Amino acid sequence: MLAVIRLLILALFFVMSTIAMMLFCIIRPFHRNNVYHVAKLYGSMHKLFGVELEVRKHPSIKSDEQYVYIANHQNNYDLFTISAAVQPRTVSIGKKSLKWVPFFGWIYWLSGNILIDRNNRSRAAGTISQAANKIKDNKLSIWMFPEGTRSYGKGLLPFKTGAFHTAVQADVAMVPVCMNSTCKRISLNKWNNGKVIVEMLEPIKLPNNAKENIREITNQTHALMHDKIKQLDAEVGIKE
């Protein structure tokens, strides 16, 4: 019964929020803070799922600087949890095909996110340059999921290097964003689904030779985030 009530409330939320966000994005299309406001709206819905959410931000992260944020991507509940950590003047990179998905895709596009063609490597490479230029020219930050897909309880998947190349080209630091494991921990039929911690780690400034050692840096960052996720899992009581 609880699951039914939650689903009904969620359906109503999607209808009302979609209408509101469509109007919002049509009035100010591609504004650099659209994604931030949309993310905060969705992030506020964590309470509906009986989740206590804590977002931690390293004190060295400055509001007036640009970064490439890299986060672990687990499941569809990320929309209501890790999205709460999205910072002002931040956009994401998604599949070009999203542009044609009614309502959600339109909002995603009008919000100012960057769309890429994942089936075309040359265009994807060009998008890295496009993202880097947006960071420098428009003073934007980029939010990326370096795993490239949801992990669905398989642990932190191997990272692709696109986010790291973007940071190198834009000459900005990277901020790892780690969230404890949520797969199979959130049930629509439970009142209390425990605590979820999202922690934004200290910015990582890439070395001058980063381009030549991009895979090594990628693997080192993966190991750093893997260890932090394990720490967060232990903190909320998740056993291996």
Side-chain angles (χ1 to χ4, degrees):
M1 185 62 181
L2 179 58
V4 174
I5 294 173
R6 278 178 167 153
L7 288 173
L8 288 173
I9 295 174
L10 189 60
L12 181 61
F13 166 76
F14 274 126
V15 172
M16 299 301 293
S17 63
T18 297
I19 294 172
M21 288 186 294
M22 278 294 294
L23 292 173
F24 183 72
C25 290
I26 288 173
I27 292 171
R28 43 181 257 172
F30 313 115
H31 190 281
R32 62 182 184 176
N33 274 330
N34 282 355
V35 174
Y36 168 72
H37 291 298
V38 172
K40 289 301 178 185
L41 178 61
Y42 277 105
S44 68
M45 290 298 291
H46 67 273
K47 295 179 182 179
L48 174 64
F49 300 97
V51 168
E52 177 189 352
L53 182 65
E54 180 183 355
V55 177
R56 300 170 179 172
K57 180 180 175 182
H58 195 276
S60 64
I61 299 175
K62 300 178 180 178
S63 60
D64 60 344
E65 289 193 7
Q66 289 73 56
Y67 302 100
V68 172
Y69 296 96
I70 52 172
N72 58 317
H73 197 13
Q74 300 185 56
N75 50 51
N76 292 335
Y77 288 115
D78 291 355
L79 185 62
F80 309 104
T81 50
I82 203 166
S83 62
V86 173
Q87 299 297 294
R89 296 178 288 105
T90 300
V91 300
S92 67
I93 296 179
K95 296 182 294 184
K96 188 176 181 179
S97 58
L98 284 173
K99 185 177 179 179
W100 308 111
V101 177
F103 305 115
F104 174 79
W106 300 339
I107 292 170
Y108 188 86
W109 171 56
L110 288 170
S111 295
N113 293 295
I114 301 171
L115 303 180
I116 65 171
D117 185 354
R118 288 184 176 173
N119 295 321
N120 189 317
R121 289 190 176 183
S122 63
R123 289 184 181 177
T127 301
I128 290 175
S129 297
Q130 179 186 354
N133 289 336
K134 282 184 176 290
I135 291 174
K136 293 185 287 188
D137 298 340
N138 300 336
K139 297 189 181 301
L140 291 174
S141 292
I142 304 291
W143 184 284
M144 302 180 73
F145 295 108
E147 294 165 282
T149 187
R150 298 171 182 83
S151 59
Y152 293 116
K154 298 177 183 177
L156 192 64
L157 302 178
F159 284 177
K160 302 179 184 300
T161 59
F164 298 83
H165 283 295
T166 301
V168 170
Q169 288 196 32
D171 191 26
V172 297
M174 306 190 72
V175 175
V177 183
C178 301
M179 181 172 69
N180 65 263
S181 303
T182 60
C183 190
K184 297 182 180 180
R185 292 191 62 240
I186 299 177
S187 171
L188 293 177
N189 274 315
K190 287 173 57 179
W191 279 108
N192 184 357
N193 280 301
K195 186 173 184 177
V196 172
I197 302 174
V198 181
E199 186 165 343
M200 308 171 72
L201 308 186
E202 183 177 5
I204 301 171
K205 183 62 178 177
L206 301 181
N208 294 331
N209 65 341
K211 191 172 182 179
E212 290 75 26
N213 299 284
I214 204 74
R215 173 47 65 184
E216 180 182 354
I217 294 170
T218 300
N219 292 339
Q220 290 173 351
T221 306
H222 182 280
L224 172 70
M225 292 180 64
H226 176 270
D227 291 344
K228 172 54 68 173
I229 292 168
K230 287 182 63 177
Q231 292 177 19
L232 295 178
D233 283 348
E235 186 172 344
V236 299
I238 299 176
K239 298 180 180 180
E240 295 186 16

